[in-house]
Amino acid sequence: MMEAPRSLALARQLVQFDTTSRGSNLALIDWVRDHLAAQGVASRLTFDDARAKANLFASIGDKATPGVVLSGHTDVVPVDGQAWSVDPFAAITRDERLFGRGTADMKAFLAIMLAAVPDMLAKPLGRPIHLALSYDEEVGCIGVGRMIRDMQDIGVAPGICIVGEPTMMKVVTGHKGKLAVRARVSGREAHSALAPYAVNALDYAAEIVVALRRIQRERAERGPFHREYDPPYTTLHAGVLHAGTALNIVPRDCELDFEIRNVPQDDPHALLAGLQRFCDETLLPQMRRVAEESAIAFEIRSDNPGLHTEESADIVAHIERLACGGRGGKVAFASEAGQFQRAGFEAVICGPGSIGDAHRPDEFITFDQIRMGEAFVGRIVEECARAPGG
């Protein structure tokens, strides 16, 4: 039997922190900060508005020189309602696998990054390596933007960014953008026996859902199309609806959450603007004939750009050579890579584990995948050490 992966103990430590997105990640972030500080590596934290969550950023080498960002998120999805056969936060090992929430997505990669720090410190790096740990990726890639802005403020030179989402070590060059929106519909309440004299906010939210379905059909039939994605067109999806207090009361207020996942040729903001015009020109006049106070407002909850790296770009062949896993094309899930690309970094997604093993009961990552990830990061460290100035 082979020895356990070098980073396994760190991975088990990270999994044991419950960093489900609805809670805080500060216990993990504080632990990582202290772990790095013990090795002489300083960290910068950027917080959410409530200071309940934080990103962590650390540099080894000259931050003013273009280098390599190793990026991963600290939050995980809930385990509620899932039939786990093990404690999801106990980090159980069995049959050359590490089980637990976040093992594949993506705490094993975070552990691999941290385990490589002594090697990064062992010799001068001609090209710096940055460690970027974010919050709230799973709920819309919300936290990383604050970290990127802080990186810009302190003069971190854009270089390469590798987001270590689970791709089985294949180099992924693209994902769709995602615009998440909340529609707030306000009407007038009344006894349900007098419904024609009220404005039912739920009814009009349903009209918005129908409009979303119409746009979806148009996109599926007419495009624009990008054949490397599945499905190969922009998708629109209504996911959450809240309205009403009792059956015999016409709902005054309704909230509807929906999303737009766009291919590169499509502009989600233009689609949202078209939906706003439909509300302004069609729905609101109907509502205000009964109740002048009626309103429909859209709030953008998150705006995560897609990743669009050409397969012919030098970075793709470069990372493929270092990762030794081949190419993975485009993926359906979103990531933070698009935000790094928008900030001027050459970005790809490449990391250990399978997305098919993430978000499910008994999530796991194999030791073989962890070892491949360790070898990948090890090659990055060696390359940065050989760069001019190292």
Side-chain angles (χ1 to χ4, degrees):
M1 181 178 294
M2 296 179 63
E3 289 187 6
R6 173 187 181 187
S7 60
L8 181 62
L10 282 169
R12 295 192 68 222
Q13 177 69 57
L14 296 179
V15 170
Q16 290 174 48
F17 290 103
D18 181 353
T19 53
T20 305
S21 300
R22 64 187 171 218
S24 174
N25 73 337
L26 289 184
L28 182 150
I29 289 294
D30 288 345
W31 186 91
V32 172
R33 180 194 58 199
D34 293 345
H35 177 79
L36 292 174
Q39 300 174 78
V41 178
S43 303
R44 294 180 62 85
L45 305 188
T46 48
F47 293 87
D48 70 345
D49 290 341
R51 297 187 71 83
K53 303 179 183 184
N55 304 301
L56 181 148
F57 180 78
S59 295
I60 299 172
D62 179 12
K63 66 179 184 296
T65 300
V68 178
V69 175
L70 301 176
S71 174
H73 61 82
T74 61
D75 60 317
V76 298
V77 297
V79 299
D80 308 50
Q82 294 187 333
W84 286 71
S85 67
V86 297
D87 182 336
F89 298 105
I92 300 297
T93 59
R94 186 176 64 220
D95 301 327
E96 293 281 296
R97 297 178 176 185
L98 172 63
F99 291 85
R101 176 55 84 226
T103 50
D105 187 17
M106 54 184 296
K107 289 181 176 177
F109 184 73
L110 300 183
I112 290 166
M113 292 161 47
L114 296 173
V117 168
D119 296 334
M120 299 175 194
L121 296 170
K123 59 188 74 174
L125 299 179
R127 187 178 301 134
I129 297 176
H130 312 284
L131 310 180
L133 286 68
S134 66
Y135 69 85
D136 276 359
E137 188 272 351
E138 295 288 7
V139 292
C141 300
I142 293 171
V144 71
R146 296 191 176 196
M147 178 163 53
I148 291 172
R149 289 190 292 275
D150 185 64
M151 291 165 60
Q152 294 169 328
D153 289 344
I154 64 173
V156 175
I160 290 172
C161 177
I162 300 163
V163 177
E165 292 280 356
T167 67
M168 297 295 286
M169 299 309 303
K170 297 181 185 298
V171 181
V172 167
T173 58
H175 62 73
K176 293 180 180 180
K178 178 185 173 182
L179 186 67
V181 183
R182 174 166 293 169
R184 290 189 172 90
V185 183
S186 301
R188 177 182 291 173
E189 62 193 350
H191 193 293
S192 60
L194 301 174
Y197 306 114
V199 174
N200 189 323
L202 176 55
D203 280 355
Y204 283 96
E207 295 280 3
I208 296 174
V209 174
V210 171
L212 290 170
R213 287 172 54 83
R214 173 181 52 77
I215 299 168
Q216 176 68 97
R217 286 195 301 272
E218 291 173 353
R219 286 301 186 268
E221 293 169 1
R222 305 173 194 169
F225 298 105
H226 195 297
R227 297 299 177 183
E228 292 181 273
Y229 290 99
D230 181 18
Y233 47 82
T234 295
T235 60
L236 297 92
H237 158 73
V240 181
L241 184 73
H242 293 295
T245 56
L247 182 58
N248 59 353
I249 302 174
V250 175
R252 181 187 64 191
D253 299 304
C254 183
E255 288 188 348
L256 168 68
D257 290 350
F258 63 93
E259 67 174 26
I260 304 170
R261 292 182 184 259
N262 62 290
V263 295
Q265 308 95 310
D266 221 347
D267 181 357
H269 292 276
L271 292 176
L272 182 60
L275 192 62
Q276 182 74 67
R277 284 194 300 274
F278 167 71
C279 293
D280 292 344
E281 297 171 4
T282 302
L283 299 185
L284 279 172
Q286 297 174 19
M287 300 168 69
R288 288 174 174 168
R289 279 197 290 269
V290 178
E292 183 60 33
E293 68 272 22
S294 298
I296 299 175
F298 291 115
E299 175 194 357
I300 294 177
R301 307 285 287 175
S302 65
D303 183 4
N304 193 50
L307 170 67
H308 310 303
T309 299
E310 295 295 332
E311 290 285 337
S312 59
D314 290 343
I315 185 179
V316 180
H318 180 199
I319 301 303
E320 181 183 15
R321 176 176 57 80
L322 295 177
C324 300
R327 298 196 183 187
K330 316 296 184 188
V331 293
F333 62 83
S335 84
E336 297 168 334
Q339 295 197 44
F340 280 99
Q341 186 176 62
R342 183 169 60 184
F345 289 81
E346 295 184 89
V348 294
I349 308 170
C350 185
S354 169
I355 195 67
D357 298 323
H359 293 207
R360 58 170 236 181
D362 290 351
E363 178 180 344
F364 71 89
I365 188 170
T366 67
F367 286 8
D368 280 347
Q369 280 291 301
I370 297 175
R371 292 186 186 103
M372 286 186 69
E374 291 175 345
F376 173 46
V377 172
R379 294 184 194 105
I380 292 172
V381 174
E382 287 299 316
E383 186 173 80
C384 290
R386 291 195 304 268

